Structures are given as structure tokens and as C-alpha cells.
Tab-separated table of all heavy atoms in Angstrom:
chain	number	residue	atom	x	y	z
A	1	SER	N	-15.060	10.637	2.265
A	1	SER	CA	-14.343	10.885	1.014
A	1	SER	C	-15.173	10.423	-0.176
A	1	SER	O	-15.291	11.126	-1.185
A	1	SER	CB	-12.990	10.160	1.017
A	1	SER	OG	-12.090	10.723	1.942
A	2	ALA	N	-15.756	9.223	-0.045
A	2	ALA	CA	-16.573	8.671	-1.133
A	2	ALA	C	-17.781	9.566	-1.416
A	2	ALA	O	-18.124	9.838	-2.575
A	2	ALA	CB	-17.018	7.258	-0.795
A	3	ARG	N	-18.408	10.038	-0.347
A	3	ARG	CA	-19.601	10.873	-0.524
A	3	ARG	C	-19.256	12.177	-1.229
A	3	ARG	O	-20.014	12.667	-2.072
A	3	ARG	CB	-20.236	11.152	0.831
A	3	ARG	CG	-21.532	11.944	0.746
A	3	ARG	CD	-22.227	12.022	2.089
A	3	ARG	NE	-23.510	12.696	1.986
A	3	ARG	CZ	-24.357	12.864	2.988
A	3	ARG	NH1	-24.072	12.375	4.185
A	3	ARG	NH2	-25.500	13.493	2.803
A	4	THR	N	-18.085	12.728	-0.906
A	4	THR	CA	-17.673	13.992	-1.510
A	4	THR	C	-17.512	13.865	-3.022
A	4	THR	O	-17.823	14.796	-3.774
A	4	THR	CB	-16.361	14.487	-0.880
A	4	THR	OG1	-16.520	14.592	0.538
A	4	THR	CG2	-15.967	15.853	-1.423
A	5	ILE	N	-17.029	12.710	-3.491
A	5	ILE	CA	-16.846	12.530	-4.936
A	5	ILE	C	-18.029	11.781	-5.555
A	5	ILE	O	-17.941	11.301	-6.686
A	5	ILE	CB	-15.517	11.830	-5.260
A	5	ILE	CG1	-15.497	10.381	-4.762
A	5	ILE	CG2	-14.345	12.614	-4.699
A	5	ILE	CD1	-14.337	9.562	-5.321
A	6	ASP	N	-19.145	11.690	-4.805
A	6	ASP	CA	-20.374	11.069	-5.313
A	6	ASP	C	-20.147	9.614	-5.721
A	6	ASP	O	-20.617	9.161	-6.762
A	6	ASP	CB	-20.942	11.874	-6.478
A	6	ASP	CG	-22.420	11.547	-6.731
A	6	ASP	OD1	-23.100	11.126	-5.785
A	6	ASP	OD2	-22.876	11.714	-7.870
A	7	LEU	N	-19.420	8.895	-4.864
A	7	LEU	CA	-19.140	7.473	-5.082
A	7	LEU	C	-19.908	6.665	-4.046
A	7	LEU	O	-19.711	6.854	-2.843
A	7	LEU	CB	-17.637	7.206	-4.955
A	7	LEU	CG	-17.167	5.755	-4.967
A	7	LEU	CD1	-17.578	5.050	-6.255
A	7	LEU	CD2	-15.647	5.702	-4.784
A	8	GLN	N	-20.770	5.799	-4.493
A	8	GLN	CA	-21.586	4.986	-3.600
A	8	GLN	C	-20.810	3.737	-3.205
A	8	GLN	O	-20.587	2.851	-4.029
A	8	GLN	CB	-22.897	4.590	-4.276
A	8	GLN	CG	-23.839	3.772	-3.403
A	8	GLN	CD	-24.339	4.547	-2.191
A	8	GLN	OE1	-24.782	5.686	-2.321
A	8	GLN	NE2	-24.269	3.935	-1.027
A	9	VAL	N	-20.391	3.660	-1.939
A	9	VAL	CA	-19.686	2.472	-1.464
A	9	VAL	C	-20.678	1.307	-1.446
A	9	VAL	O	-21.748	1.418	-0.839
A	9	VAL	CB	-19.092	2.701	-0.054
A	9	VAL	CG1	-18.330	1.468	0.405
A	9	VAL	CG2	-18.182	3.931	-0.055
A	10	PRO	N	-20.354	0.184	-2.088
A	10	PRO	CA	-21.330	-0.901	-2.235
A	10	PRO	C	-21.485	-1.801	-1.015
A	10	PRO	O	-22.171	-2.816	-1.092
A	10	PRO	CB	-20.786	-1.695	-3.428
A	10	PRO	CG	-19.318	-1.488	-3.362
A	10	PRO	CD	-19.124	-0.085	-2.849
A	11	VAL	N	-20.860	-1.438	0.106
A	11	VAL	CA	-21.036	-2.182	1.359
A	11	VAL	C	-21.319	-1.171	2.465
A	11	VAL	O	-21.033	0.020	2.330
A	11	VAL	CB	-19.794	-3.026	1.716
A	11	VAL	CG1	-19.520	-4.076	0.644
A	11	VAL	CG2	-18.559	-2.143	1.926
A	12	SER	N	-21.874	-1.646	3.571
A	12	SER	CA	-22.144	-0.766	4.708
A	12	SER	C	-20.864	-0.507	5.496
A	12	SER	O	-19.841	-1.183	5.304
A	12	SER	CB	-23.187	-1.403	5.629
A	12	SER	OG	-22.635	-2.545	6.276
A	13	LYS	N	-20.935	0.460	6.394
A	13	LYS	CA	-19.777	0.722	7.253
A	13	LYS	C	-19.431	-0.495	8.106
A	13	LYS	O	-18.251	-0.840	8.261
A	13	LYS	CB	-20.054	1.936	8.154
A	13	LYS	CG	-20.030	3.269	7.430
A	13	LYS	CD	-20.187	4.425	8.412
A	13	LYS	CE	-20.148	5.761	7.697
A	13	LYS	NZ	-20.262	6.900	8.647
A	14	ASP	N	-20.429	-1.154	8.655
A	14	ASP	CA	-20.171	-2.353	9.466
A	14	ASP	C	-19.538	-3.452	8.625
A	14	ASP	O	-18.625	-4.155	9.078
A	14	ASP	CB	-21.464	-2.855	10.110
A	14	ASP	CG	-21.928	-1.990	11.270
A	14	ASP	OD1	-21.092	-1.223	11.813
A	14	ASP	OD2	-23.109	-2.054	11.643
A	15	ASP	N	-20.022	-3.599	7.402
A	15	ASP	CA	-19.433	-4.603	6.508
A	15	ASP	C	-17.984	-4.254	6.193
A	15	ASP	O	-17.118	-5.140	6.139
A	15	ASP	CB	-20.227	-4.689	5.204
A	15	ASP	CG	-21.577	-5.376	5.385
A	15	ASP	OD1	-21.752	-6.087	6.395
A	15	ASP	OD2	-22.455	-5.178	4.519
A	16	MET	N	-17.701	-2.980	5.986
A	16	MET	CA	-16.334	-2.563	5.684
A	16	MET	C	-15.401	-2.865	6.858
A	16	MET	O	-14.267	-3.338	6.664
A	16	MET	CB	-16.301	-1.069	5.357
A	16	MET	CG	-14.917	-0.545	4.963
A	16	MET	SD	-14.283	-1.266	3.426
A	16	MET	CE	-15.293	-0.371	2.233
A	17	LYS	N	-15.872	-2.624	8.063
A	17	LYS	CA	-15.055	-2.938	9.239
A	17	LYS	C	-14.766	-4.424	9.317
A	17	LYS	O	-13.636	-4.852	9.613
A	17	LYS	CB	-15.767	-2.469	10.515
A	17	LYS	CG	-15.910	-0.970	10.634
A	17	LYS	CD	-16.822	-0.589	11.797
A	17	LYS	CE	-17.228	0.868	11.725
A	17	LYS	NZ	-18.211	1.242	12.769
A	18	GLU	N	-15.771	-5.247	9.026
A	18	GLU	CA	-15.579	-6.695	9.079
A	18	GLU	C	-14.648	-7.162	7.964
A	18	GLU	O	-13.836	-8.084	8.163
A	18	GLU	CB	-16.921	-7.418	8.986
A	18	GLU	CG	-16.841	-8.918	9.199
A	18	GLU	CD	-16.160	-9.320	10.511
A	18	GLU	OE1	-16.320	-8.613	11.531
A	18	GLU	OE2	-15.431	-10.341	10.503
A	19	ILE	N	-14.723	-6.544	6.792
A	19	ILE	CA	-13.801	-6.862	5.699
A	19	ILE	C	-12.362	-6.611	6.140
A	19	ILE	O	-11.465	-7.428	5.901
A	19	ILE	CB	-14.149	-6.020	4.451
A	19	ILE	CG1	-15.430	-6.535	3.803
A	19	ILE	CG2	-12.992	-6.033	3.445
A	19	ILE	CD1	-16.008	-5.598	2.760
A	20	ILE	N	-12.147	-5.478	6.787
A	20	ILE	CA	-10.804	-5.128	7.264
A	20	ILE	C	-10.319	-6.143	8.294
A	20	ILE	O	-9.189	-6.663	8.201
A	20	ILE	CB	-10.817	-3.707	7.850
A	20	ILE	CG1	-10.993	-2.678	6.728
A	20	ILE	CG2	-9.546	-3.422	8.655
A	20	ILE	CD1	-11.340	-1.283	7.206
A	21	LEU	N	-11.152	-6.457	9.259
A	21	LEU	CA	-10.756	-7.399	10.310
A	21	LEU	C	-10.514	-8.792	9.745
A	21	LEU	O	-9.545	-9.478	10.114
A	21	LEU	CB	-11.831	-7.447	11.401
A	21	LEU	CG	-12.020	-6.156	12.204
A	21	LEU	CD1	-13.263	-6.255	13.091
A	21	LEU	CD2	-10.796	-5.846	13.052
A	22	GLU	N	-11.380	-9.234	8.835
A	22	GLU	CA	-11.233	-10.574	8.278
A	22	GLU	C	-9.995	-10.674	7.390
A	22	GLU	O	-9.338	-11.721	7.353
A	22	GLU	CB	-12.492	-10.956	7.492
A	22	GLU	CG	-12.532	-12.408	7.055
A	22	GLU	CD	-12.424	-13.395	8.214
A	22	GLU	OE1	-12.918	-13.090	9.331
A	22	GLU	OE2	-11.826	-14.473	8.002
A	23	THR	N	-9.654	-9.606	6.702
A	23	THR	CA	-8.435	-9.621	5.882
A	23	THR	C	-7.201	-9.752	6.772
A	23	THR	O	-6.245	-10.464	6.428
A	23	THR	CB	-8.338	-8.355	5.016
A	23	THR	OG1	-9.547	-8.181	4.271
A	23	THR	CG2	-7.183	-8.458	4.036
A	24	LEU	N	-7.217	-9.086	7.910
A	24	LEU	CA	-6.125	-9.250	8.873
A	24	LEU	C	-6.056	-10.685	9.376
A	24	LEU	O	-4.964	-11.275	9.490
A	24	LEU	CB	-6.316	-8.287	10.050
A	24	LEU	CG	-6.075	-6.806	9.750
A	24	LEU	CD1	-6.694	-5.932	10.828
A	24	LEU	CD2	-4.576	-6.513	9.631
A	25	ARG	N	-7.213	-11.272	9.674
A	25	ARG	CA	-7.238	-12.662	10.156
A	25	ARG	C	-6.730	-13.626	9.083
A	25	ARG	O	-5.989	-14.560	9.385
A	25	ARG	CB	-8.662	-13.027	10.571
A	25	ARG	CG	-9.203	-12.253	11.762
A	25	ARG	CD	-10.633	-12.676	12.094
A	25	ARG	NE	-11.290	-11.686	12.931
A	25	ARG	CZ	-12.459	-11.107	12.660
A	25	ARG	NH1	-13.132	-11.433	11.552
A	25	ARG	NH2	-12.979	-10.217	13.475
A	26	GLU	N	-7.137	-13.386	7.852
A	26	GLU	CA	-6.703	-14.257	6.753
A	26	GLU	C	-5.179	-14.264	6.621
A	26	GLU	O	-4.586	-15.254	6.193
A	26	GLU	CB	-7.332	-13.781	5.441
A	26	GLU	CG	-8.808	-14.098	5.292
A	26	GLU	CD	-9.067	-15.554	4.917
A	26	GLU	OE1	-8.183	-16.175	4.290
A	26	GLU	OE2	-10.154	-16.061	5.258
A	27	ASN	N	-4.553	-13.144	6.990
A	27	ASN	CA	-3.101	-13.029	6.885
A	27	ASN	C	-2.384	-13.227	8.217
A	27	ASN	O	-1.167	-13.037	8.299
A	27	ASN	CB	-2.735	-11.675	6.284
A	27	ASN	CG	-3.099	-11.585	4.817
A	27	ASN	OD1	-2.419	-12.146	3.970
A	27	ASN	ND2	-4.186	-10.884	4.507
A	28	ASP	N	-3.172	-13.580	9.259
A	28	ASP	CA	-2.605	-13.864	10.582
A	28	ASP	C	-1.741	-12.709	11.091
A	28	ASP	O	-0.627	-12.889	11.574
A	28	ASP	CB	-1.788	-15.158	10.533
A	28	ASP	CG	-1.486	-15.702	11.935
A	28	ASP	OD1	-2.278	-15.427	12.859
A	28	ASP	OD2	-0.456	-16.386	12.095
A	29	LEU	N	-2.295	-11.482	10.975
A	29	LEU	CA	-1.540	-10.290	11.350
A	29	LEU	C	-2.053	-9.678	12.649
A	29	LEU	O	-3.255	-9.638	12.895
A	29	LEU	CB	-1.634	-9.245	10.232
A	29	LEU	CG	-0.909	-9.583	8.929
A	29	LEU	CD1	-1.276	-8.586	7.840
A	29	LEU	CD2	0.598	-9.612	9.143
A	30	LYS	N	-1.137	-9.193	13.453
A	30	LYS	CA	-1.469	-8.450	14.665
A	30	LYS	C	-0.962	-7.013	14.595
A	30	LYS	O	-1.535	-6.115	15.207
A	30	LYS	CB	-0.890	-9.146	15.892
A	30	LYS	CG	-1.523	-10.497	16.196
A	30	LYS	CD	-0.968	-11.084	17.479
A	30	LYS	CE	-1.642	-12.413	17.824
A	30	LYS	NZ	-1.091	-13.001	19.063
A	31	ASP	N	0.156	-6.814	13.911
A	31	ASP	CA	0.729	-5.482	13.701
A	31	ASP	C	0.810	-5.278	12.196
A	31	ASP	O	1.550	-5.995	11.511
A	31	ASP	CB	2.113	-5.367	14.335
A	31	ASP	CG	2.063	-5.495	15.850
A	31	ASP	OD1	1.883	-4.460	16.513
A	31	ASP	OD2	2.184	-6.627	16.344
A	32	ALA	N	0.064	-4.313	11.679
A	32	ALA	CA	-0.059	-4.226	10.226
A	32	ALA	C	-0.438	-2.838	9.765
A	32	ALA	O	-0.949	-2.013	10.536
A	32	ALA	CB	-1.113	-5.224	9.747
A	33	TYR	N	-0.195	-2.607	8.481
A	33	TYR	CA	-0.727	-1.452	7.772
A	33	TYR	C	-1.867	-1.967	6.909
A	33	TYR	O	-1.744	-3.007	6.241
A	33	TYR	CB	0.344	-0.793	6.915
A	33	TYR	CG	-0.136	0.443	6.198
A	33	TYR	CD1	-0.131	1.678	6.837
A	33	TYR	CD2	-0.595	0.380	4.884
A	33	TYR	CE1	-0.573	2.823	6.187
A	33	TYR	CE2	-1.043	1.520	4.232
A	33	TYR	CZ	-1.023	2.734	4.884
A	33	TYR	OH	-1.478	3.855	4.237
A	34	ILE	N	-2.980	-1.240	6.891
A	34	ILE	CA	-4.205	-1.682	6.230
A	34	ILE	C	-4.617	-0.646	5.191
A	34	ILE	O	-4.666	0.553	5.486
A	34	ILE	CB	-5.341	-1.856	7.267
A	34	ILE	CG1	-4.900	-2.778	8.402
A	34	ILE	CG2	-6.609	-2.366	6.595
A	34	ILE	CD1	-5.590	-2.494	9.711
A	35	ARG	N	-4.936	-1.106	3.989
A	35	ARG	CA	-5.307	-0.196	2.920
A	35	ARG	C	-6.646	-0.624	2.298
A	35	ARG	O	-6.678	-1.408	1.360
A	35	ARG	CB	-4.211	-0.183	1.855
A	35	ARG	CG	-4.502	0.608	0.568
A	35	ARG	CD	-4.699	2.081	0.823
A	35	ARG	NE	-3.564	2.714	1.435
A	35	ARG	CZ	-2.499	3.189	0.778
A	35	ARG	NH1	-2.429	3.107	-0.518
A	35	ARG	NH2	-1.520	3.780	1.451
A	36	PRO	N	-7.779	-0.120	2.825
A	36	PRO	CA	-9.053	-0.326	2.136
A	36	PRO	C	-9.186	0.675	0.988
A	36	PRO	O	-8.838	1.850	1.131
A	36	PRO	CB	-10.089	-0.073	3.230
A	36	PRO	CG	-9.415	0.847	4.194
A	36	PRO	CD	-7.940	0.583	4.109
A	37	ILE	N	-9.697	0.203	-0.130
A	37	ILE	CA	-9.814	1.014	-1.338
A	37	ILE	C	-11.206	0.823	-1.933
A	37	ILE	O	-11.714	-0.306	-1.970
A	37	ILE	CB	-8.766	0.592	-2.387
A	37	ILE	CG1	-7.348	0.656	-1.812
A	37	ILE	CG2	-8.868	1.445	-3.655
A	37	ILE	CD1	-6.320	-0.098	-2.637
A	38	VAL	N	-11.800	1.903	-2.399
A	38	VAL	CA	-13.037	1.813	-3.181
A	38	VAL	C	-12.788	2.556	-4.485
A	38	VAL	O	-12.504	3.760	-4.474
A	38	VAL	CB	-14.240	2.425	-2.450
A	38	VAL	CG1	-15.511	2.209	-3.276
A	38	VAL	CG2	-14.413	1.824	-1.062
A	39	THR	N	-12.850	1.842	-5.616
A	39	THR	CA	-12.682	2.484	-6.912
A	39	THR	C	-14.049	2.705	-7.550
A	39	THR	O	-15.030	2.053	-7.189
A	39	THR	CB	-11.820	1.641	-7.860
A	39	THR	OG1	-12.601	0.562	-8.398
A	39	THR	CG2	-10.603	1.069	-7.141
A	40	ARG	N	-14.082	3.596	-8.548
A	40	ARG	CA	-15.332	3.844	-9.259
A	40	ARG	C	-15.784	2.588	-10.001
A	40	ARG	O	-16.971	2.377	-10.219
A	40	ARG	CB	-15.149	4.986	-10.253
A	40	ARG	CG	-16.426	5.426	-10.958
A	40	ARG	CD	-17.314	6.264	-10.066
A	40	ARG	NE	-16.692	7.545	-9.721
A	40	ARG	CZ	-17.267	8.459	-8.948
A	40	ARG	NH1	-18.471	8.248	-8.440
A	40	ARG	NH2	-16.635	9.582	-8.643
A	41	GLY	N	-14.850	1.740	-10.364
A	41	GLY	CA	-15.168	0.503	-11.059
A	41	GLY	C	-14.940	0.592	-12.554
A	41	GLY	O	-14.424	1.583	-13.081
A	42	VAL	N	-15.333	-0.453	-13.238
A	42	VAL	CA	-15.085	-0.571	-14.670
A	42	VAL	C	-16.048	0.314	-15.454
A	42	VAL	O	-17.259	0.311	-15.217
A	42	VAL	CB	-15.238	-2.042	-15.120
A	42	VAL	CG1	-15.105	-2.162	-16.636
A	42	VAL	CG2	-14.208	-2.919	-14.416
A	43	GLY	N	-15.489	1.081	-16.384
A	43	GLY	CA	-16.283	1.909	-17.286
A	43	GLY	C	-15.689	1.875	-18.668
A	43	GLY	O	-15.148	0.855	-19.093
A	44	ASP	N	-15.746	3.007	-19.370
A	44	ASP	CA	-15.087	3.083	-20.671
A	44	ASP	C	-13.955	4.101	-20.576
A	44	ASP	O	-13.574	4.523	-19.486
A	44	ASP	CB	-16.090	3.419	-21.771
A	44	ASP	CG	-16.802	4.766	-21.540
A	44	ASP	OD1	-16.279	5.594	-20.760
A	44	ASP	OD2	-17.867	4.977	-22.143
């Protein structure tokens, strides 16, 4: 999706997977809905 809109994700795929897993661990979740988001960022 990011590539289609010419958005460069600032982390690797492996890093993104670890971000997702670590966020679940931080919240002590086993059954959850997960929402990773990449925005274009701050502009004008």
C-alpha cells in the first residue's frame, strides 16, 4: 500500500513485525486487534 502511494516506510519489514509484537507485549495481550499505521508525516 505504501509503495503504491509512493510513501517510504522508515523501518524495515522485520522491524515493523517486531514493533507489532513488542506493542502487544507492552500491553500484555494475547487476543487483540492490531493497527499499524504509517502517515506521510508533518508538512505544510
Side-chain angles (χ1 to χ4, degrees):
S1 291
R3 184 172 184 177
T4 304
I5 67 167
D6 199 26
L7 172 59
Q8 182 64 48
V9 182
V11 298
S12 69
K13 287 185 179 182
D14 286 341
D15 287 341
M16 183 64 75
K17 294 171 193 175
E18 187 54 35
I19 287 168
I20 290 167
L21 294 171
E22 189 58 33
T23 307
L24 289 162
R25 295 179 198 126
E26 286 282 333
N27 290 284
D28 195 27
L29 291 170
K30 293 184 178 179
D31 295 272
Y33 182 85
I34 306 152
R35 173 63 59 85
I37 304 164
V38 184
T39 78
R40 186 76 66 180
V42 175
D44 60 19

